Amino acid sequence: MPHALVDGYYPFAQDFRSPLALRQSIASVLDHGCFGYSDPSIECTAAVASKLDETHGFAGAVTQNPETIRWLPGLIPALHHVVRVAQLRQMDAKKNSHVSVASVTPIYYRFLFTGPCEGADVLRIPLLATANGHELEYKLDYETLDTTLGQPTCKVLLWCNPHNPSGRVWSRAELLSVAQLCVKHDVLLLSDEVWSDLVYDPVSTPFTGLGALLEEVPGLRERLIVITSPSKTFNVATLNVAFGAVPCPELRRQFISVGRDKAETPPFGYAAALAAYTDPECAKWRLRLLDYLRANRDHTYDVLCRNVGPQHLKMTKPEATYLTWIDMEGLGVTTELGPFFQRHGVALTPGTPCGAASGVRLNFATTRNTLNVGLERLLRGIDEVCNGS
Amino acid sequence: MPHALVDGYYPFAQDFRSPLALRQSIASVLDHGCFGYSDPSIECTAAVASKLDETHGFAGAVTQNPETIRWLPGLIPALHHVVRVAQLRQMDAKKNSHVSVASVTPIYYRFLFTGPCEGADVLRIPLLATANGHELEYKLDYETLDTTLGQPTCKVLLWCNPHNPSGRVWSRAELLSVAQLCVKHDVLLLSDEVWSDLVYDPVSTPFTGLGALLEEVPGLRERLIVITSPSKTFNVATLNVAFGAVPCPELRRQFISVGRDKAETPPFGYAAALAAYTDPECAKWRLRLLDYLRANRDHTYDVLCRNVGPQHLKMTKPEATYLTWIDMEGLGVTTELGPFFQRHGVALTPGTPCGAASGVRLNFATTRNTLNVGLERLLRGIDEVCNGS
């Protein structure tokens, strides 16, 4: 089966079939046989509300006010919608309508593409990288964060927790600072929390949803949009089911009004979300998936670090996600790393669009066999540079 | 099963299960079980290219250049994207970036909602209505079309053929004028041709796709975007599969660049399109559907006209679509007709958002039983007005 790692073909995690219970839930829609416009069932809405309450920190508020939910056909549209809200507000206030959009870098490239597509600037906040031998760690640079969010045109922070591509699960303390700085500078905070069900060690690096900080950070409620989806965990990215929680009614109204161009959520997507969040088999499947991915993560780290010295390669050991960020500045390759490795038959997400030219992103959500093929090809490419072979 | 007509619940045409062959095509995706990001298969692309060539008039050009196809998760996003292209062009030319969007009225309300959502004005071009007894007919007002498209800010015509809600299948001569006026005034022409497979009498009112006029109208190629989907015919609106044909590479590049916020097309959508356009059973199913809908159309007309005088009610006999437009100006109801009939238990699309307050749109794509329930309730409402009962 094709996989991003060796075919450059983007079904990510195409190798993993969705849980049987989820597929059965979809099959029941297929049995129904009518695919006209549809709304989520009461059960599906309740399941999603519970999910937002329990995992993302809303603590019952969404279940009590299910209108807080904004159904979406994916996460990417939401990035665009929040930028439009900021632009709309500038227009309504008859202010200079120019809006800048901040993100920490490196970051999943679609975050950096959103601003320009909407006629907004991008402000990059480089994360602080430290290396311990091979191991690369990323931390927040609070000073740059503060200065950047304080720029007069900065109206939106596109945030990602757990962070793609570093795999960081931001701590409660880090998130508190981010939320407080957004309030201080009156910046809308879009928190993409799609990776929150793929945290490897919930004890040492527990996931905190931004919804959990609403009480502690006055003013956050008026600025927060949390988005998530079962897409990454359950391999249902193209079922077009995602959702946001927008606790502030005024912000919600605006968020909806600028997103009228969005596609529908298919009944298959609702069925998938219902099963993913309520079926005990899906919960067990997720734990097995985590075990498999954790082993792949460690294997990837071991193979690369055993074969390449830290002067040539540094990499993250992600706390979450099925992505590893590999920095190869030390290789001294002067061309783009993505196309370079593509020629060696391994498809890595190039670093430049993610805001960090010396890195590449490796997706290890595949079978061990496919992973090994990809790692061999990656090593062959590195070997060519180091030994000129 | 719920239906828009009597429940105000929008699965349109929810009553009709999609063809078995289409559902089997979807089942094969379900068997595969991986729902990560996916591209259309070569077979699916070829089927859609053929469809655009044969039905929409591109005469082999799309099959020869499949990159002409723009995959979309629905038709509505495309309306927004073309307005953004016009705005982008104004900005690039450093002209006054204000853009107006023209549509003939009445029209499906989403056409009128697109402009304001994108920060553009709407220019309405009322169709000329003539009545022959009960029967209402709509024609183009060429003079108003010419003047409106000639306004300096007018940069887009959102066009619909066959026309929702009048059910008109525009003639080749009418379309030639529309295309020529768009070229004359340098206006982008977005032709939504989603109803083209629901034409009742292809001999007397043959469908002409705008692609068929490319040779005859120089300059049309640079301005034309045709969009369609199997959604209406095969009741697959929420499978999020739609596509456009954009023969001009420069226009296509811009159309894609402003639509990066769009959702994915699910693998189920690709499977549905492949079956809809290639499986002989789906072709036969469509002919049976047309027979059923034609009988419903005639029945609706007969029941309403038998019971209500032409001074109170006039209506279209649509040449295509499963929609009838009913004008009840003669009833003298001073409140909105939509909510008025909703109180009588029948859900008709209100006229005001469609740009014609005295009308309502009735969807007859339902079982005869449900249709009769809806018609009875409609007649009861009318009776209350006429006889004060």
Side-chain angles (χ1 to χ4, degrees):
Chain A
M1 224 176 290
H3 185 266
L5 187 61
V6 294
D7 298 287
Y9 176 69
Y10 283 71
F12 286 177
Q14 172 84 328
D15 297 80
F16 298 115
R17 294 184 91 193
S18 293
L20 180 62
L22 188 151
R23 288 181 276 131
Q24 284 169 338
S25 182
I26 292 178
S28 71
V29 176
L30 186 54
D31 283 344
H32 182 270
C34 295
F35 312 120
Y37 299 117
S38 58
D39 289 320
S41 64
I42 292 167
E43 292 76 17
C44 177
T45 302
V48 161
S50 276
K51 181 70 185 167
L52 288 163
D53 283 337
E54 286 160 28
T55 303
H56 301 272
F58 288 94
V62 183
T63 298
Q64 278 185 9
N65 303 289
E67 71 277 9
T68 306
I69 301 169
R70 165 65 164 163
W71 292 96
L72 293 159
L75 301 166
I76 298 300
L79 305 183
H80 291 257
H81 299 172
V82 70
V83 176
R84 290 180 205 158
V85 167
Q87 290 170 327
L88 182 74
R89 288 177 168 200
Q90 287 291 91
M91 287 219 309
D92 285 352
K94 298 198 195 313
K95 288 182 191 160
N96 175 357
S97 69
H98 190 73
V99 162
S100 301
V101 181
S103 290
V104 296
T105 54
I107 201 154
Y108 173 47
Y109 56 86
R110 298 294 294 262
F111 280 59
L112 299 180
F113 288 4
T114 302
C117 186
E118 296 295 329
D121 279 340
V122 172
L123 301 172
R124 297 176 183 202
I125 305 162
L127 293 170
L128 297 174
T130 51
N132 180 5
H134 282 98
E135 195 175 345
L136 199 56
E137 284 189 342
Y138 283 98
K139 292 217 168 91
L140 267 178
D141 176 351
Y142 293 105
E143 202 174 319
T144 309
L145 184 65
D146 192 12
T147 334
T148 308
L149 297 185
Q151 292 194 22
T153 58
C154 184
K155 298 296 168 197
V156 178
L157 176 65
L158 297 182
W159 180 253
C160 186
N161 175 33
H163 182 247
N164 171 358
S166 78
R168 271 300 312 277
V169 179
W170 303 111
S171 71
R172 201 171 199 285
E174 286 170 312
L175 294 169
L176 259 179
S177 300
V178 169
Q180 284 160 347
L181 288 174
C182 283
V183 172
K184 174 183 170 190
H185 297 298
D186 192 19
V187 164
L188 294 173
L189 174 52
L190 187 289
S191 180
D192 172 5
E193 302 182 352
V194 71
W195 298 97
S196 51
D197 280 337
L198 293 174
V199 174
Y200 292 109
D201 185 349
V203 175
S204 67
T205 57
F207 168 74
T208 304
L210 271 160
L213 306 185
L214 284 174
E215 298 301 321
E216 205 164 336
V217 184
L220 177 60
R221 183 178 303 274
E222 288 70 33
R223 293 167 181 84
L224 180 65
I225 296 172
V226 170
I227 57 172
T228 192
S229 165
S231 58
K232 298 299 172 201
T233 308
F234 296 99
N235 197 17
V236 291
T238 59
L239 297 192
N240 288 8
V241 62
F243 39 87
V246 195
C248 169
E250 172 65 7
L251 179 55
R252 192 163 66 235
R253 195 187 57 72
Q254 293 177 326
F255 188 62
I256 292 170
S257 81
V258 298
R260 291 222 177 86
D261 58 315
K262 73 165 183 59
E264 305 286 321
T265 294
F268 295 120
Y270 294 129
L274 175 61
Y277 296 143
T278 60
D279 196 294
E281 289 306 317
C282 289
K284 288 182 200 158
W285 184 94
R286 182 181 75 89
L287 295 177
R288 291 198 303 274
L289 176 74
L290 268 176
D291 286 341
Y292 196 95
L293 292 177
R294 189 186 296 105
N296 268 4
R297 175 194 68 168
D298 296 344
H299 178 70
T300 303
Y301 191 87
D302 292 346
V303 168
L304 292 180
C305 298
R306 202 186 323 124
N307 286 281
V308 191
Q311 74 280 21
H312 289 138
L313 176 147
K314 295 178 176 62
M315 62 188 290
T316 58
K317 239 187 185 172
E319 297 160 349
T321 80
Y322 42 69
L323 308 163
T324 290
W325 182 258
I326 308 173
D327 190 294
M328 290 187 273
E329 193 170 15
L331 273 188
V333 175
T334 52
T335 61
E336 285 280 338
L337 287 169
F340 173 80
F341 287 106
Q342 186 82 54
R343 283 193 296 276
H344 284 272
V346 56
L348 306 166
T349 307
T352 303
C354 299
S358 62
V360 287
R361 192 184 71 167
L362 183 151
N363 172 349
F364 55 78
T366 182
T367 58
R368 182 61 67 90
N369 279 347
T370 303
L371 179 59
N372 279 333
V373 172
L375 292 175
E376 271 169 42
R377 294 178 184 180
L378 176 56
L379 288 173
R380 217 174 302 146
I382 293 172
D383 195 52
E384 186 187 290
V385 181
C386 294
N387 305 316
S389 64
Chain B
M1 225 177 288
H3 184 267
L5 187 61
V6 295
D7 298 287
Y9 176 70
Y10 284 70
F12 286 176
Q14 173 84 329
D15 298 80
F16 299 115
R17 296 183 90 192
S18 293
L20 180 62
L22 188 152
R23 287 181 277 131
Q24 285 170 337
S25 183
I26 292 178
S28 71
V29 177
L30 186 54
D31 283 346
H32 181 270
C34 295
F35 311 121
Y37 300 117
S38 59
D39 289 320
S41 64
I42 292 167
E43 294 76 18
C44 177
T45 301
V48 160
S50 276
K51 181 69 185 167
L52 288 163
D53 282 338
E54 285 161 27
T55 303
H56 300 272
F58 288 94
V62 183
T63 298
Q64 278 185 8
N65 303 290
E67 72 277 10
T68 307
I69 300 170
R70 165 64 165 164
W71 292 96
L72 294 159
L75 300 166
I76 298 299
L79 305 183
H80 291 256
H81 299 171
V82 69
V83 175
R84 289 180 206 159
V85 167
Q87 290 169 328
L88 182 74
R89 288 178 167 199
Q90 287 290 93
M91 287 216 311
D92 285 352
K94 298 200 194 310
K95 288 182 191 162
N96 175 356
S97 69
H98 191 73
V99 161
S100 302
V101 181
S103 289
V104 295
T105 55
I107 200 153
Y108 173 48
Y109 55 87
R110 298 294 294 263
F111 280 58
L112 300 179
F113 288 4
T114 302
C117 186
E118 297 295 328
D121 280 338
V122 173
L123 301 171
R124 298 176 183 203
I125 305 162
L127 293 170
L128 297 174
T130 51
N132 180 4
H134 282 96
E135 195 175 346
L136 199 56
E137 284 188 344
Y138 284 97
K139 294 214 166 91
L140 268 178
D141 176 351
Y142 293 106
E143 204 174 317
T144 309
L145 184 64
D146 192 11
T147 335
T148 308
L149 297 186
Q151 291 194 22
T153 58
C154 185
K155 298 296 169 198
V156 178
L157 176 64
L158 296 181
W159 179 253
C160 185
N161 174 34
H163 182 247
N164 170 359
S166 78
R168 273 301 311 277
V169 179
W170 303 111
S171 70
R172 201 172 200 285
E174 286 170 314
L175 293 169
L176 259 180
S177 300
V178 169
Q180 283 160 348
L181 288 174
C182 284
V183 173
K184 175 183 167 189
H185 297 297
D186 192 18
V187 164
L188 295 172
L189 173 52
L190 185 289
S191 181
D192 171 5
E193 301 182 352
V194 72
W195 297 98
S196 52
D197 280 336
L198 293 174
V199 174
Y200 292 110
D201 185 350
V203 175
S204 67
T205 57
F207 168 75
T208 304
L210 271 161
L213 306 185
L214 284 174
E215 298 302 321
E216 205 165 336
V217 184
L220 178 58
R221 182 179 305 274
E222 287 71 31
R223 293 166 182 86
L224 180 66
I225 296 172
V226 170
I227 57 171
T228 192
S229 165
S231 59
K232 298 299 170 197
T233 307
F234 296 100
N235 196 19
V236 292
T238 59
L239 297 193
N240 288 7
V241 60
F243 40 87
V246 195
C248 168
E250 172 65 7
L251 179 55
R252 192 164 65 236
R253 195 187 58 71
Q254 293 177 326
F255 188 63
I256 291 170
S257 81
V258 297
R260 291 222 178 86
D261 59 314
K262 72 163 185 61
E264 304 286 321
T265 294
F268 296 121
Y270 294 129
L274 175 62
Y277 297 143
T278 60
D279 196 293
E281 287 307 316
C282 289
K284 288 182 199 159
W285 185 94
R286 183 182 74 89
L287 295 177
R288 292 198 303 274
L289 176 74
L290 268 177
D291 285 341
Y292 196 95
L293 292 176
R294 189 186 296 107
N296 268 5
R297 174 194 69 168
D298 295 343
H299 178 69
T300 303
Y301 191 87
D302 291 346
V303 168
L304 292 179
C305 297
R306 202 185 324 123
N307 285 280
V308 190
Q311 75 281 19
H312 290 137
L313 176 149
K314 294 178 177 63
M315 62 189 287
T316 58
K317 239 186 183 171
E319 297 160 349
T321 81
Y322 43 68
L323 308 162
T324 291
W325 182 256
I326 308 175
D327 190 295
M328 289 187 273
E329 192 169 18
L331 273 187
V333 174
T334 53
T335 61
E336 285 279 340
L337 288 169
F340 173 80
F341 285 106
Q342 186 83 53
R343 284 194 295 277
H344 285 273
V346 56
L348 307 166
T349 307
T352 303
C354 300
S358 63
V360 287
R361 192 185 72 167
L362 183 151
N363 172 348
F364 55 80
T366 181
T367 58
R368 183 61 66 89
N369 280 347
T370 303
L371 181 59
N372 279 333
V373 172
L375 292 174
E376 270 169 41
R377 293 176 185 181
L378 176 55
L379 288 173
R380 219 175 299 146
I382 294 173
D383 196 50
E384 187 187 289
V385 181
C386 294
N387 305 315
S389 63

